[in-house]
């Protein structure tokens, strides 16, 4: 699609684009991947029009992958903010939380930005302790996902176990946190996004949609619990 006489590639500083044969790419490229990358890159360019050291305008390179300040030679590259998202469990239950900014009834795993100098494990232990007052015992990496909103973030998903299950909720961060049984989680997974109220006027608990890595974390925990019961 073209707007105002310029193609999408021209608007991010690419006048001529050549793409390799798909057979040479060792991973699958989807429309979602391209859309997320484009959205993040366009926002980054919009926010980095000037050099933070010289104050002079920066210029994008041909591919749009960086910006250069020709006054001092500094090259700026798009940054990605690491975020941990952790499903904490204790015995046969997992912890799901609801924040005030979430849609009504939606519960998900704990998440927080990594701070400078922290390892992945240190961030998880700090975030869990700060938000719900639990001491983390074990941490296991599960997967990752790029998340373009509100800025370009790399979601690092982990499973964690807690040494105890007594919650001390930080109300400045979390509106509600609850331990859910396997049966309750399975029921929540079966509820569609933005459900209608139940006959008693309450909203059913639901979890993020399938494209979110939080959903994958929860599904992973469910499958592991089922495997334990069947063995």
């Amino acid at each position: 699609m073209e707007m105002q006489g310029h193609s999408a590639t021209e608007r991010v500083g690419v006048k001529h684009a050549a793409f390799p044969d798909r057979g040479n790419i060792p991973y699958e490229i989807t429309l979602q991947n391209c859309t997320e990358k484009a959205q993040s890159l366009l926002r980054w360019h919009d926010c980095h029009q000037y050099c933070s050291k010289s104050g002079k305008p920066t210029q994008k390179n041909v591919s749009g992958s960086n910006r250069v300040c020709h006054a001092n030679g500094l090259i700026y590259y798009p940054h990605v903010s690491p975020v941990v998202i952790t499903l904490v469990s204790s015995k046969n239950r997992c912890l799901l939380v609801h924040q005030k900014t979430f849609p009504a009834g939606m519960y998900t795993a704990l998440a927080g930005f990594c701070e400078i100098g922290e390892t992945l494990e240190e961030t998880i232990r700090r975030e869990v302790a700060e938000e719900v007052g639990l001491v983390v015992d074990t941490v296991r990496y599960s997967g990752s996902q790029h998340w373009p909103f509100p800025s370009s973030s790399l979601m690092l998903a982990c499973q964690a176990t807690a040494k105890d299950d007594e919650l001390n909720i930080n109300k400045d961060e979390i509106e509600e946190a609850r331990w859910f049984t396997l049966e309750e989680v399975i029921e929540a997974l079966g509820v569609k996004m933005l459900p209608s109220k139940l006959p008693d006027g309450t909203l059913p608990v639901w979890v993020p949609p399938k494209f979110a890595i939080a959903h994958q974390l929860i599904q992973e925990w469910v499958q592991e619990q089922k495997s334990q019961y069947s063995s």
Side-chain angles (χ1 to χ4, degrees):
M1 180 177 69
E2 296 189 0
M3 297 175 61
Q4 300 178 348
H6 297 284
S7 69
T9 53
E10 288 174 331
R11 290 198 303 278
V12 294
V14 181
K15 294 183 178 179
H16 304 285
F19 299 94
D21 182 87
R22 186 167 180 173
N24 296 328
I25 302 174
Y27 57 88
E28 182 180 3
I29 296 178
T30 65
L31 178 59
Q32 180 179 335
N33 298 146
C34 294
T35 303
E36 289 177 353
K37 185 173 182 179
Q39 193 274 344
S40 297
L41 194 57
L42 287 170
R43 178 184 283 126
W44 178 79
H45 279 295
D46 186 53
C47 295
H48 291 78
Q49 299 287 318
Y50 297 90
C51 177
S52 61
K53 187 173 183 179
S54 70
K56 301 293 184 180
T58 57
Q59 301 294 324
K60 63 173 73 74
N61 66 345
V62 174
S63 67
S65 62
N66 64 51
R67 300 188 71 89
V68 180
C69 175
H70 293 291
N72 55 29
L74 280 176
I75 301 175
Y76 292 87
Y77 295 94
H79 66 270
V80 176
S81 301
V83 177
V84 294
I85 179 164
T86 310
L87 188 64
V88 180
S89 61
S90 177
K91 300 175 183 177
N92 59 347
R93 299 182 299 172
C94 73
L95 183 70
L96 298 177
V97 301
H98 176 83
Q99 294 183 357
K100 293 179 181 179
T101 56
F102 289 174
M106 193 192 84
Y107 284 73
T108 187
L110 287 166
F113 285 94
C114 296
E115 294 186 353
I116 290 178
E118 284 186 329
T119 65
L120 178 65
E121 294 82 3
E122 288 170 344
T123 301
I124 290 172
R125 296 180 192 281
R126 174 182 55 78
E127 284 289 335
V128 173
E130 288 178 354
E131 296 187 359
V132 292
L134 293 175
V135 177
V136 168
D137 186 12
T138 64
V139 174
R140 174 167 51 88
Y141 175 76
S142 179
S144 64
Q145 178 183 39
H146 174 249
W147 193 254
F149 308 106
S151 59
S152 186
S153 299
L154 179 62
M155 307 293 291
L156 303 167
C158 294
Q159 300 281 354
T161 59
K163 291 186 177 181
D164 53 26
D165 56 9
E166 184 177 349
L167 301 176
N168 182 14
I169 303 172
N170 181 351
K171 290 295 185 177
D172 292 333
E173 298 278 347
I174 303 294
E175 185 171 44
E176 187 176 0
R178 290 169 47 190
W179 291 107
F180 287 80
T181 65
L182 175 60
E183 292 74 18
E184 290 172 329
V185 174
I186 292 174
E187 183 178 351
L189 285 166
V191 178
K192 294 182 179 180
M193 288 180 60
L194 304 173
S196 302
K197 289 184 177 181
L198 298 172
D200 62 2
T202 62
L203 274 170
V205 171
W206 56 287
V207 297
K210 292 181 179 180
F211 64 79
I213 200 163
H215 186 102
Q216 299 169 35
L217 267 179
I218 295 167
Q219 282 280 18
E220 182 180 56
W221 180 82
V222 167
Q223 294 306 315
E224 290 174 352
Q225 291 296 303
K226 287 181 176 180
S227 297
Q228 290 180 14
Y229 282 130
S230 61
S231 60

